[in-house]
């Protein structure tokens, strides 16, 4: 068996061997998670891993271990594929339609670093959409890039909004998937419970994998408001009451229990109720590190978008965004220090994930570009966002649902949260009007619009046969 490199210590056993010895009926990895981790170990490092796309800044500090590993990966496969040859091999219909690149070419380049000028944009991307972590905004960025560049999305079957969630992801949950057509899909970004071997059945080996994390303290406060109707939260009057008496409210076997405990770990494919030993905790972090090329932080969203731009070799307008699926301030609850500590203890796995990748996030910045250049890039990004907000948005910002004029742009209102939306300025020209509308379109409307463009015949069948299936014909 090939042993994967271990960034924690030099163990004589591989990940698969350790799991095989320690796995019990209450394995923290779960049956499926344990099996896909074991398979990744059995084949060595995950087959999709490649070299870092960032050029190191001049520094006396040595590159961290994960960077050293990244440099050893095969980069040629992901950088050599040009979009023309990729499109000529594709038979699954694409979302953008004819002339999909017109918008991208019509916008002037605001800023291009030396890195982006010298590399080729990545067009095979998997985004693990972690709940309540600014992931809807990232999803909009991917939707826009894919549609603008006429790429093919791995969309949920029958126009659904999620890829089989909360069940483990299966390749068969992707519309149009058949064995052997992995190269036909470019972007996968809908909610799923990650299972790497199944994702690899859909996406080619050159795929770039990334996700975004959120401080579990803020994530749980948001989840309590948004998922108030879920069984763990439905009878608790406050988050503090839930945390003071979790045994009274929490049923580990409930199908929606993950919304109330270790939600990030669950989305990454791990058992959110698992009693993780220190060794298992290290294996969990190691697995995530090896499976994903980039882990972003929602608390540092702009810095995250700069890292993403560099890693994907995309231009500034491709990653600029307005916040989507964000809550009105009145629905946010301040938390005491004692409550915050209880959240960290209750969400032990999520706290370990966040602490580890918070550290590697800043290591990556220091190694790849340095803090000074990051500050410059963030400033340029914010200036561009402000410029677009003045151009696109009436009032220059978001509004509550009762103030939305165009109901086709109304975000889903769910739980106890009040979700904000946007009003577009009237009189925009065709190019700016299209860009602005794409930037403010909520994920459900945008997803169904892409489904309609990619599968027009299937959409007609669904409209005819499925009661209540609305394709959002005029959303974009």
């Amino acid at each position: 068996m090939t042993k994967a490199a271990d960034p924690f210590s030099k163990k004589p056993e591989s990940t698969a061997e350790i799991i095989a010895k320690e796995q019990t009926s209450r394995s923290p990895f779960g049956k499926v998670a344990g099996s896909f981790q074991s398979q990744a170990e059995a084949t060595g490092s995950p087959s999709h891993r490649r070299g870092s796309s960032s050029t190191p800044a001049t520094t006396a500090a040595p590159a961290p271990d994960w960077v050293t590993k990244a440099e050893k990966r095969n980069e040629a496969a992901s950088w050599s594929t040009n979009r023309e040859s990729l499109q000529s091999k594709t038979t699954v219909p694409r979302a953008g339609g004819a002339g999909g690149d017109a918008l991208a070419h019509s916008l002037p380049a605001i800023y291009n670093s030396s890195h982006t000028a010298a590399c080729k944009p990545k067009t095979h991307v998997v985004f693990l959409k972690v709940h309540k972590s600014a992931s809807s905004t990232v999803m909009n960025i991917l939707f826009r890039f894919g549609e603008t560049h006429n790429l093919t999305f791995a969309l949920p079957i029958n126009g659904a909004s999620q890829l089989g969630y909360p069940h483990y992801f299966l390749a068969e949950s992707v519309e149009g998937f058949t064995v052997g057509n992995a190269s036909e899909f470019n972007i996968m970004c809908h909610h799923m419970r990650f299972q790497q071997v199944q994702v690899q059945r859909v996406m080619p080996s050159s795929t770039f994998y990334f996700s975004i994390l959120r401080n579990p303290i803020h994530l749980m406060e948001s989840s309590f408001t948004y998922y108030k109707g879920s069984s763990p939260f439905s009878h608790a009057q406050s988050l503090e009451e839930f945390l003071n008496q979790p045994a009274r409210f929490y049923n580990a076997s409930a199908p929606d229990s993950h919304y109330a405990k270790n939600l990030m770990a669950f989305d990454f494919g791990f058992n959110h109720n698992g009693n993780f030993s220190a060794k298992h905790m290290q294996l969990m972090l190691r697995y995530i590190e090896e499976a994903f090329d980039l882990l972003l932080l929602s608390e540092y969203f702009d810095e995250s978008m700069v890292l993403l731009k560099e890693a994907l070799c995309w231009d500034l307008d491709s990653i600029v965004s307005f916040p989507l699926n964000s809550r009105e301030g009145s629905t946010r609850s301040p938390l005491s220090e004692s409550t915050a500590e209880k959240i960290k203890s209750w969400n032990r796995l999520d706290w370990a994930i966040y602490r580890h990748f918070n550290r590697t996030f800043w290591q990556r910045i220091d190694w790849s570009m340095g803090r000074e250049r990051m500050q410059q890039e963030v400033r340029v990004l914010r200036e561009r966002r402000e410029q677009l907000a003045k151009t696109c948005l009436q009032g220059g910002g978001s509004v509550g649902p009762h103030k939305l004029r165009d109901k086709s742009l109304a975000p889903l209102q769910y739980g106890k949260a009040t979700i904000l939306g946007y009003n577009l300025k009237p009189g925009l020209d065709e190019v700016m009007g299209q860009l602005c509308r794409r930037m403010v379109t909520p994920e459900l409307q945008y997803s169904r619009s892409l489904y309609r463009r990619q599968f027009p015949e299937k959409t007609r069948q669904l409209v005819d046969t499925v009661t209540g299936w609305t394709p959002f014909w005029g959303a974009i």
Side-chain angles (χ1 to χ4, degrees), residues 431-445:
V431 171
M432 287 308 301
Q434 188 179 51
L435 171 62
C436 295
R437 190 173 186 87
R438 286 173 173 172
M439 291 183 69
V440 303
T441 299
E443 64 180 270
L444 294 181
Q445 289 94 313

Side-chain angles (χ1 to χ4, degrees), residues 120-151:
K120 295 181 180 179
K122 294 184 186 297
T123 54
H124 288 108
V125 178
V126 166
F127 171 57
L128 180 61
K129 190 175 185 291
V130 171
H131 287 76
K132 313 312 300 171
S133 301
S135 57
S136 294
T137 304
V138 179
M139 187 184 206
N140 178 269
I141 289 171
L142 297 173
F143 279 169
R144 284 161 34 211
F145 185 88
E147 184 179 23
T148 301
H149 294 84
N150 203 28
L151 303 180

Side-chain angles (χ1 to χ4, degrees), residues 1-4 14-17 19-20 23 29-48 195-201 286-287 290-291:
M1 178 180 292
T2 302
K3 295 181 180 180
S14 68
T15 305
E17 290 168 335
I19 293 175
Q23 197 166 27
F29 291 99
K31 292 182 179 180
V32 178
S35 66
F36 75 72
Q37 181 144 0
S38 299
Q39 180 155 343
E41 180 71 22
T43 57
S45 297
S47 62
H48 71 272
Q195 185 171 195
Q196 186 179 25
V197 293
Q198 289 291 322
V199 174
Q200 289 173 332
R201 292 178 63 200
R286 170 183 167 182
Y287 176 78
E290 292 188 347

Side-chain angles (χ1 to χ4, degrees), residues 417-432:
T418 300
I419 307 301
L420 303 174
Y422 296 94
N423 287 321
L424 294 176
K425 281 186 176 180
L428 296 170
D429 62 40
E430 182 178 357
V431 171
M432 287 308 301

